[in-house]
PDB file of all heavy atoms in Angstrom:
ATOM      1  N   LEU A 242      27.438 -55.040 -95.563  1.00 97.00           N
ATOM      2  CA  LEU A 242      28.074 -56.352 -95.638  1.00 97.00           C
ATOM      3  C   LEU A 242      27.524 -57.142 -96.818  1.00 97.00           C
ATOM      4  O   LEU A 242      26.314 -57.162 -97.052  1.00 97.00           O
ATOM      5  CB  LEU A 242      27.765 -57.095 -94.331  1.00 97.00           C
ATOM      6  CG  LEU A 242      28.290 -58.514 -94.190  1.00 97.00           C
ATOM      7  CD1 LEU A 242      29.808 -58.508 -94.079  1.00 97.00           C
ATOM      8  CD2 LEU A 242      27.680 -59.171 -92.954  1.00 97.00           C
ATOM      9  N   ILE A 244      27.927 -61.121 -98.368  1.00 97.00           N
ATOM     10  CA  ILE A 244      28.533 -62.446 -98.255  1.00 97.00           C
ATOM     11  C   ILE A 244      28.631 -63.014 -99.665  1.00 97.00           C
ATOM     12  O   ILE A 244      27.611 -63.137-100.361  1.00 97.00           O
ATOM     13  CB  ILE A 244      27.699 -63.406 -97.376  1.00 97.00           C
ATOM     14  CG1 ILE A 244      27.211 -62.706 -96.110  1.00 97.00           C
ATOM     15  CG2 ILE A 244      28.497 -64.676 -97.084  1.00 97.00           C
ATOM     16  CD1 ILE A 244      28.038 -62.865 -94.908  1.00 97.00           C
ATOM     17  N   ALA A 253      22.328 -69.368 -95.019  1.00 93.00           N
ATOM     18  CA  ALA A 253      21.901 -68.169 -95.741  1.00 93.00           C
ATOM     19  C   ALA A 253      21.672 -66.987 -94.803  1.00 93.00           C
ATOM     20  O   ALA A 253      21.627 -65.833 -95.225  1.00 93.00           O
ATOM     21  CB  ALA A 253      20.627 -68.456 -96.524  1.00 93.00           C
ATOM     22  N   ALA A 254      21.531 -67.275 -93.505  1.00 96.00           N
ATOM     23  CA  ALA A 254      21.233 -66.204 -92.543  1.00 96.00           C
ATOM     24  C   ALA A 254      22.502 -65.611 -91.918  1.00 96.00           C
ATOM     25  O   ALA A 254      22.418 -64.727 -91.058  1.00 96.00           O
ATOM     26  CB  ALA A 254      20.324 -66.746 -91.447  1.00 96.00           C
ATOM     27  N   LEU A 255      23.674 -66.073 -92.385  1.00 97.00           N
ATOM     28  CA  LEU A 255      24.930 -65.623 -91.763  1.00 97.00           C
ATOM     29  C   LEU A 255      25.072 -64.093 -91.736  1.00 97.00           C
ATOM     30  O   LEU A 255      25.491 -63.514 -90.742  1.00 97.00           O
ATOM     31  CB  LEU A 255      26.133 -66.241 -92.500  1.00 97.00           C
ATOM     32  CG  LEU A 255      27.510 -65.771 -92.052  1.00 97.00           C
ATOM     33  CD1 LEU A 255      27.811 -66.263 -90.633  1.00 97.00           C
ATOM     34  CD2 LEU A 255      28.602 -66.250 -93.006  1.00 97.00           C
ATOM     35  N   GLY A 256      24.701 -63.448 -92.837  1.00 97.00           N
ATOM     36  CA  GLY A 256      24.861 -61.998 -92.934  1.00 97.00           C
ATOM     37  C   GLY A 256      24.111 -61.266 -91.835  1.00 97.00           C
ATOM     38  O   GLY A 256      24.666 -60.403 -91.152  1.00 97.00           O
ATOM     39  N   LEU A 257      22.837 -61.630 -91.676  1.00 97.00           N
ATOM     40  CA  LEU A 257      22.035 -60.976 -90.634  1.00 97.00           C
ATOM     41  C   LEU A 257      22.587 -61.299 -89.248  1.00 97.00           C
ATOM     42  O   LEU A 257      22.637 -60.435 -88.369  1.00 97.00           O
ATOM     43  CB  LEU A 257      20.569 -61.414 -90.738  1.00 97.00           C
ATOM     44  CG  LEU A 257      19.820 -60.832 -91.938  1.00 97.00           C
ATOM     45  CD1 LEU A 257      18.425 -61.429 -92.045  1.00 97.00           C
ATOM     46  CD2 LEU A 257      19.747 -59.297 -91.830  1.00 97.00           C
ATOM     47  N   GLN A 258      23.042 -62.533 -89.083  1.00 96.00           N
ATOM     48  CA  GLN A 258      23.628 -62.915 -87.790  1.00 96.00           C
ATOM     49  C   GLN A 258      24.881 -62.084 -87.501  1.00 96.00           C
ATOM     50  O   GLN A 258      25.090 -61.613 -86.381  1.00 96.00           O
ATOM     51  CB  GLN A 258      23.987 -64.408 -87.787  1.00 96.00           C
ATOM     52  CG  GLN A 258      22.767 -65.308 -87.692  1.00 96.00           C
ATOM     53  CD  GLN A 258      23.095 -66.766 -88.044  1.00 96.00           C
ATOM     54  OE1 GLN A 258      24.231 -67.105 -88.356  1.00 96.00           O
ATOM     55  NE2 GLN A 258      22.083 -67.622 -87.996  1.00 96.00           N
ATOM     56  N   MET A 259      25.694 -61.878 -88.537  1.00 96.00           N
ATOM     57  CA  MET A 259      26.911 -61.077 -88.332  1.00 96.00           C
ATOM     58  C   MET A 259      26.574 -59.645 -87.927  1.00 96.00           C
ATOM     59  O   MET A 259      27.215 -59.059 -87.068  1.00 96.00           O
ATOM     60  CB  MET A 259      27.757 -61.058 -89.611  1.00 96.00           C
ATOM     61  CG  MET A 259      28.620 -62.286 -89.781  1.00 96.00           C
ATOM     62  SD  MET A 259      29.610 -62.173 -91.288  1.00 96.00           S
ATOM     63  CE  MET A 259      30.834 -60.925 -90.853  1.00 96.00           C
ATOM     64  N   CYS A 260      25.540 -59.094 -88.561  1.00 95.00           N
ATOM     65  CA  CYS A 260      25.149 -57.717 -88.231  1.00 95.00           C
ATOM     66  C   CYS A 260      24.677 -57.635 -86.777  1.00 95.00           C
ATOM     67  O   CYS A 260      24.995 -56.680 -86.061  1.00 95.00           O
ATOM     68  CB  CYS A 260      24.056 -57.218 -89.173  1.00 95.00           C
ATOM     69  SG  CYS A 260      24.650 -57.016 -90.853  1.00 95.00           S
ATOM     70  N   PHE A 273      23.044 -55.400 -93.825  1.00 96.00           N
ATOM     71  CA  PHE A 273      23.324 -56.543 -94.694  1.00 96.00           C
ATOM     72  C   PHE A 273      22.782 -56.266 -96.088  1.00 96.00           C
ATOM     73  O   PHE A 273      21.587 -56.058 -96.262  1.00 96.00           O
ATOM     74  CB  PHE A 273      22.675 -57.798 -94.094  1.00 96.00           C
ATOM     75  CG  PHE A 273      22.874 -59.032 -94.908  1.00 96.00           C
ATOM     76  CD1 PHE A 273      24.131 -59.363 -95.399  1.00 96.00           C
ATOM     77  CD2 PHE A 273      21.816 -59.883 -95.183  1.00 96.00           C
ATOM     78  CE1 PHE A 273      24.335 -60.504 -96.154  1.00 96.00           C
ATOM     79  CE2 PHE A 273      22.004 -61.033 -95.929  1.00 96.00           C
ATOM     80  CZ  PHE A 273      23.259 -61.342 -96.411  1.00 96.00           C
ATOM     81  N   ASN A 276      23.409 -61.812-100.039  1.00 98.00           N
ATOM     82  CA  ASN A 276      24.300 -62.910-100.415  1.00 98.00           C
ATOM     83  C   ASN A 276      24.535 -62.876-101.914  1.00 98.00           C
ATOM     84  O   ASN A 276      23.631 -62.513-102.681  1.00 98.00           O
ATOM     85  CB  ASN A 276      23.640 -64.262-100.096  1.00 98.00           C
ATOM     86  CG  ASN A 276      23.555 -64.509 -98.602  1.00 98.00           C
ATOM     87  OD1 ASN A 276      24.463 -64.129 -97.852  1.00 98.00           O
ATOM     88  ND2 ASN A 276      22.485 -65.160 -98.165  1.00 98.00           N
TER      89      ASN A 276
END
Side-chain angles (χ1 to χ4, degrees):
L242 178 69
I244 316 265
L255 175 68
L257 288 174
Q258 287 166 0
M259 278 181 72
C260 292
F273 179 47
N276 290 324

